[in-house]
PDB file of all heavy atoms in Angstrom:
ATOM      1  N   GLY A 234       1.028  -0.764  -0.809  1.00 78.00           N
ATOM      2  CA  GLY A 234       1.462   0.523  -0.289  1.00 78.00           C
ATOM      3  C   GLY A 234       2.649   1.050  -1.003  1.00 78.00           C
ATOM      4  O   GLY A 234       2.980   2.242  -0.835  1.00 78.00           O
ATOM      5  N   SER A 235       3.279   0.349  -1.871  1.00 79.00           N
ATOM      6  CA  SER A 235       4.360   0.742  -2.643  1.00 79.00           C
ATOM      7  C   SER A 235       4.020   1.989  -3.490  1.00 79.00           C
ATOM      8  O   SER A 235       4.823   2.818  -3.851  1.00 79.00           O
ATOM      9  CB  SER A 235       4.901  -0.349  -3.593  1.00 79.00           C
ATOM     10  OG  SER A 235       5.125  -1.509  -2.837  1.00 79.00           O
ATOM     11  N   GLU A 236       2.720   1.966  -3.967  1.00 82.00           N
ATOM     12  CA  GLU A 236       2.253   3.054  -4.864  1.00 82.00           C
ATOM     13  C   GLU A 236       1.924   4.340  -4.267  1.00 82.00           C
ATOM     14  O   GLU A 236       1.716   5.312  -4.933  1.00 82.00           O
ATOM     15  CB  GLU A 236       1.051   2.501  -5.642  1.00 82.00           C
ATOM     16  CG  GLU A 236      -0.210   2.359  -4.812  1.00 82.00           C
ATOM     17  CD  GLU A 236      -0.166   1.235  -3.855  1.00 82.00           C
ATOM     18  OE1 GLU A 236       0.522   0.223  -4.060  1.00 82.00           O
ATOM     19  OE2 GLU A 236      -0.897   1.327  -2.803  1.00 82.00           O
ATOM     20  N   ILE A 237       1.987   4.346  -2.872  1.00 83.00           N
ATOM     21  CA  ILE A 237       1.603   5.635  -2.245  1.00 83.00           C
ATOM     22  C   ILE A 237       2.473   6.813  -2.616  1.00 83.00           C
ATOM     23  O   ILE A 237       2.002   7.949  -2.666  1.00 83.00           O
ATOM     24  CB  ILE A 237       1.628   5.452  -0.667  1.00 83.00           C
ATOM     25  CG1 ILE A 237       0.557   4.477  -0.250  1.00 83.00           C
ATOM     26  CG2 ILE A 237       1.502   6.723   0.054  1.00 83.00           C
ATOM     27  CD1 ILE A 237       0.615   4.148   1.284  1.00 83.00           C
ATOM     28  N   VAL A 238       3.730   6.526  -2.887  1.00 81.00           N
ATOM     29  CA  VAL A 238       4.645   7.688  -3.213  1.00 81.00           C
ATOM     30  C   VAL A 238       4.212   8.361  -4.470  1.00 81.00           C
ATOM     31  O   VAL A 238       4.465   9.581  -4.621  1.00 81.00           O
ATOM     32  CB  VAL A 238       6.097   7.194  -3.292  1.00 81.00           C
ATOM     33  CG1 VAL A 238       6.317   6.270  -4.505  1.00 81.00           C
ATOM     34  CG2 VAL A 238       7.082   8.291  -3.338  1.00 81.00           C
ATOM     35  N   THR A 239       3.582   7.628  -5.338  1.00 81.00           N
ATOM     36  CA  THR A 239       3.080   8.297  -6.689  1.00 81.00           C
ATOM     37  C   THR A 239       1.934   9.301  -6.451  1.00 81.00           C
ATOM     38  O   THR A 239       1.773  10.255  -7.161  1.00 81.00           O
ATOM     39  CB  THR A 239       2.741   7.312  -7.700  1.00 81.00           C
ATOM     40  OG1 THR A 239       1.556   6.581  -7.294  1.00 81.00           O
ATOM     41  CG2 THR A 239       3.948   6.411  -8.002  1.00 81.00           C
ATOM     42  N   LEU A 240       1.187   8.948  -5.388  1.00 81.00           N
ATOM     43  CA  LEU A 240       0.102   9.950  -5.016  1.00 81.00           C
ATOM     44  C   LEU A 240       0.666  11.125  -4.242  1.00 81.00           C
ATOM     45  O   LEU A 240       0.306  12.340  -4.546  1.00 81.00           O
ATOM     46  CB  LEU A 240      -0.961   9.214  -4.115  1.00 81.00           C
ATOM     47  CG  LEU A 240      -1.967   8.301  -4.751  1.00 81.00           C
ATOM     48  CD1 LEU A 240      -1.414   6.930  -4.991  1.00 81.00           C
ATOM     49  CD2 LEU A 240      -3.236   8.329  -3.928  1.00 81.00           C
ATOM     50  N   ALA A 241       1.629  10.832  -3.270  1.00 81.00           N
ATOM     51  CA  ALA A 241       2.199  11.922  -2.530  1.00 81.00           C
ATOM     52  C   ALA A 241       3.115  12.813  -3.316  1.00 81.00           C
ATOM     53  O   ALA A 241       3.214  14.073  -2.937  1.00 81.00           O
ATOM     54  CB  ALA A 241       3.073  11.273  -1.377  1.00 81.00           C
ATOM     55  N   ALA A 242       3.754  12.292  -4.402  1.00 77.00           N
ATOM     56  CA  ALA A 242       4.664  13.128  -5.114  1.00 77.00           C
ATOM     57  C   ALA A 242       3.918  14.304  -5.708  1.00 77.00           C
ATOM     58  O   ALA A 242       4.592  15.372  -5.987  1.00 77.00           O
ATOM     59  CB  ALA A 242       5.317  12.239  -6.304  1.00 77.00           C
ATOM     60  N   GLY A 243       2.668  14.261  -6.007  1.00 74.00           N
ATOM     61  CA  GLY A 243       1.923  15.391  -6.570  1.00 74.00           C
ATOM     62  C   GLY A 243       1.865  16.621  -5.629  1.00 74.00           C
ATOM     63  O   GLY A 243       1.671  17.722  -6.095  1.00 74.00           O
ATOM     64  N   GLU A 244       2.147  16.379  -4.297  1.00 79.00           N
ATOM     65  CA  GLU A 244       2.183  17.547  -3.443  1.00 79.00           C
ATOM     66  C   GLU A 244       3.595  17.891  -3.055  1.00 79.00           C
ATOM     67  O   GLU A 244       3.916  18.277  -1.899  1.00 79.00           O
ATOM     68  CB  GLU A 244       1.280  17.183  -2.152  1.00 79.00           C
ATOM     69  CG  GLU A 244      -0.207  17.085  -2.565  1.00 79.00           C
ATOM     70  CD  GLU A 244      -0.985  16.748  -1.329  1.00 79.00           C
ATOM     71  OE1 GLU A 244      -1.338  17.692  -0.552  1.00 79.00           O
ATOM     72  OE2 GLU A 244      -1.415  15.637  -1.233  1.00 79.00           O
ATOM     73  N   SER A 245       4.549  17.740  -3.957  1.00 77.00           N
ATOM     74  CA  SER A 245       5.930  18.129  -3.731  1.00 77.00           C
ATOM     75  C   SER A 245       6.286  19.152  -4.799  1.00 77.00           C
ATOM     76  O   SER A 245       5.544  19.307  -5.745  1.00 77.00           O
ATOM     77  CB  SER A 245       6.837  16.867  -3.837  1.00 77.00           C
ATOM     78  OG  SER A 245       6.897  16.408  -5.207  1.00 77.00           O
ATOM     79  N   SER A 246       7.444  19.776  -4.474  1.00 76.00           N
ATOM     80  CA  SER A 246       7.807  20.891  -5.451  1.00 76.00           C
ATOM     81  C   SER A 246       8.404  20.326  -6.760  1.00 76.00           C
ATOM     82  O   SER A 246       8.388  20.952  -7.791  1.00 76.00           O
ATOM     83  CB  SER A 246       8.876  21.760  -4.739  1.00 76.00           C
ATOM     84  OG  SER A 246      10.001  20.951  -4.315  1.00 76.00           O
ATOM     85  N   ASN A 247       8.858  19.034  -6.735  1.00 78.00           N
ATOM     86  CA  ASN A 247       9.504  18.449  -7.958  1.00 78.00           C
ATOM     87  C   ASN A 247       8.996  17.004  -8.035  1.00 78.00           C
ATOM     88  O   ASN A 247       9.822  16.061  -7.850  1.00 78.00           O
ATOM     89  CB  ASN A 247      11.005  18.560  -7.876  1.00 78.00           C
ATOM     90  CG  ASN A 247      11.623  18.212  -9.290  1.00 78.00           C
ATOM     91  OD1 ASN A 247      10.968  17.596 -10.073  1.00 78.00           O
ATOM     92  ND2 ASN A 247      12.883  18.508  -9.335  1.00 78.00           N
ATOM     93  N   PRO A 248       7.699  16.811  -8.421  1.00 78.00           N
ATOM     94  CA  PRO A 248       7.204  15.533  -8.430  1.00 78.00           C
ATOM     95  C   PRO A 248       7.787  14.555  -9.430  1.00 78.00           C
ATOM     96  O   PRO A 248       7.948  13.333  -9.128  1.00 78.00           O
ATOM     97  CB  PRO A 248       5.703  15.737  -8.916  1.00 78.00           C
ATOM     98  CG  PRO A 248       5.649  17.035  -9.505  1.00 78.00           C
ATOM     99  CD  PRO A 248       6.698  17.880  -8.823  1.00 78.00           C
ATOM    100  N   GLN A 249       8.322  15.024 -10.543  1.00 80.00           N
ATOM    101  CA  GLN A 249       8.942  14.179 -11.503  1.00 80.00           C
ATOM    102  C   GLN A 249      10.195  13.523 -10.995  1.00 80.00           C
ATOM    103  O   GLN A 249      10.445  12.295 -11.109  1.00 80.00           O
ATOM    104  CB  GLN A 249       9.325  14.982 -12.834  1.00 80.00           C
ATOM    105  CG  GLN A 249       9.668  14.102 -13.970  1.00 80.00           C
ATOM    106  CD  GLN A 249       9.964  14.998 -15.244  1.00 80.00           C
ATOM    107  OE1 GLN A 249      10.953  15.595 -15.389  1.00 80.00           O
ATOM    108  NE2 GLN A 249       8.993  14.967 -16.134  1.00 80.00           N
ATOM    109  N   ARG A 250      10.984  14.348 -10.298  1.00 80.00           N
ATOM    110  CA  ARG A 250      12.276  13.888  -9.703  1.00 80.00           C
ATOM    111  C   ARG A 250      11.871  12.865  -8.594  1.00 80.00           C
ATOM    112  O   ARG A 250      12.585  11.792  -8.492  1.00 80.00           O
ATOM    113  CB  ARG A 250      13.010  14.983  -9.078  1.00 80.00           C
ATOM    114  CG  ARG A 250      14.320  14.599  -8.443  1.00 80.00           C
ATOM    115  CD  ARG A 250      15.063  15.873  -7.917  1.00 80.00           C
ATOM    116  NE  ARG A 250      16.238  15.485  -7.119  1.00 80.00           N
ATOM    117  CZ  ARG A 250      16.311  15.264  -5.783  1.00 80.00           C
ATOM    118  NH1 ARG A 250      15.113  15.327  -5.211  1.00 80.00           N
ATOM    119  NH2 ARG A 250      17.314  14.885  -5.203  1.00 80.00           N
ATOM    120  N   ALA A 251      10.872  13.073  -7.754  1.00 78.00           N
ATOM    121  CA  ALA A 251      10.495  12.279  -6.698  1.00 78.00           C
ATOM    122  C   ALA A 251      10.126  10.898  -7.201  1.00 78.00           C
ATOM    123  O   ALA A 251      10.476   9.880  -6.653  1.00 78.00           O
ATOM    124  CB  ALA A 251       9.423  12.945  -5.829  1.00 78.00           C
ATOM    125  N   VAL A 252       9.282  10.895  -8.152  1.00 82.00           N
ATOM    126  CA  VAL A 252       8.742   9.645  -8.779  1.00 82.00           C
ATOM    127  C   VAL A 252       9.915   8.808  -9.374  1.00 82.00           C
ATOM    128  O   VAL A 252       9.961   7.630  -9.264  1.00 82.00           O
ATOM    129  CB  VAL A 252       7.636   9.873  -9.752  1.00 82.00           C
ATOM    130  CG1 VAL A 252       7.300   8.649 -10.505  1.00 82.00           C
ATOM    131  CG2 VAL A 252       6.371  10.386  -9.084  1.00 82.00           C
ATOM    132  N   SER A 253      10.678   9.512 -10.125  1.00 81.00           N
ATOM    133  CA  SER A 253      11.854   8.860 -10.846  1.00 81.00           C
ATOM    134  C   SER A 253      12.742   8.106  -9.770  1.00 81.00           C
ATOM    135  O   SER A 253      13.201   6.990  -9.883  1.00 81.00           O
ATOM    136  CB  SER A 253      12.735   9.770 -11.622  1.00 81.00           C
ATOM    137  OG  SER A 253      11.882  10.398 -12.633  1.00 81.00           O
ATOM    138  N   LYS A 254      13.034   8.913  -8.580  1.00 80.00           N
ATOM    139  CA  LYS A 254      13.903   8.317  -7.642  1.00 80.00           C
ATOM    140  C   LYS A 254      13.216   7.147  -6.960  1.00 80.00           C
ATOM    141  O   LYS A 254      13.966   6.137  -6.683  1.00 80.00           O
ATOM    142  CB  LYS A 254      14.170   9.520  -6.652  1.00 80.00           C
ATOM    143  CG  LYS A 254      15.292   9.157  -5.631  1.00 80.00           C
ATOM    144  CD  LYS A 254      15.561  10.453  -4.739  1.00 80.00           C
ATOM    145  CE  LYS A 254      16.677  10.157  -3.759  1.00 80.00           C
ATOM    146  NZ  LYS A 254      16.904  11.307  -2.853  1.00 80.00           N
ATOM    147  N   ALA A 255      11.953   7.249  -6.641  1.00 78.00           N
ATOM    148  CA  ALA A 255      11.306   6.207  -5.902  1.00 78.00           C
ATOM    149  C   ALA A 255      11.186   4.955  -6.745  1.00 78.00           C
ATOM    150  O   ALA A 255      11.345   3.827  -6.316  1.00 78.00           O
ATOM    151  CB  ALA A 255       9.880   6.652  -5.517  1.00 78.00           C
ATOM    152  N   THR A 256      10.954   5.133  -8.033  1.00 80.00           N
ATOM    153  CA  THR A 256      10.835   4.066  -8.996  1.00 80.00           C
ATOM    154  C   THR A 256      12.134   3.265  -9.206  1.00 80.00           C
ATOM    155  O   THR A 256      12.119   2.085  -9.154  1.00 80.00           O
ATOM    156  CB  THR A 256      10.301   4.557 -10.403  1.00 80.00           C
ATOM    157  OG1 THR A 256       9.116   5.163 -10.260  1.00 80.00           O
ATOM    158  CG2 THR A 256      10.115   3.316 -11.258  1.00 80.00           C
TER     159      THR A 256
END
Side-chain angles (χ1 to χ4, degrees):
S235 310
E236 69 289 332
I237 290 175
V238 69
T239 64
L240 283 84
E244 292 180 77
S245 68
S246 56
N247 192 343
Q249 191 177 77
R250 177 178 176 273
V252 169
S253 300
K254 191 174 178 182
T256 304

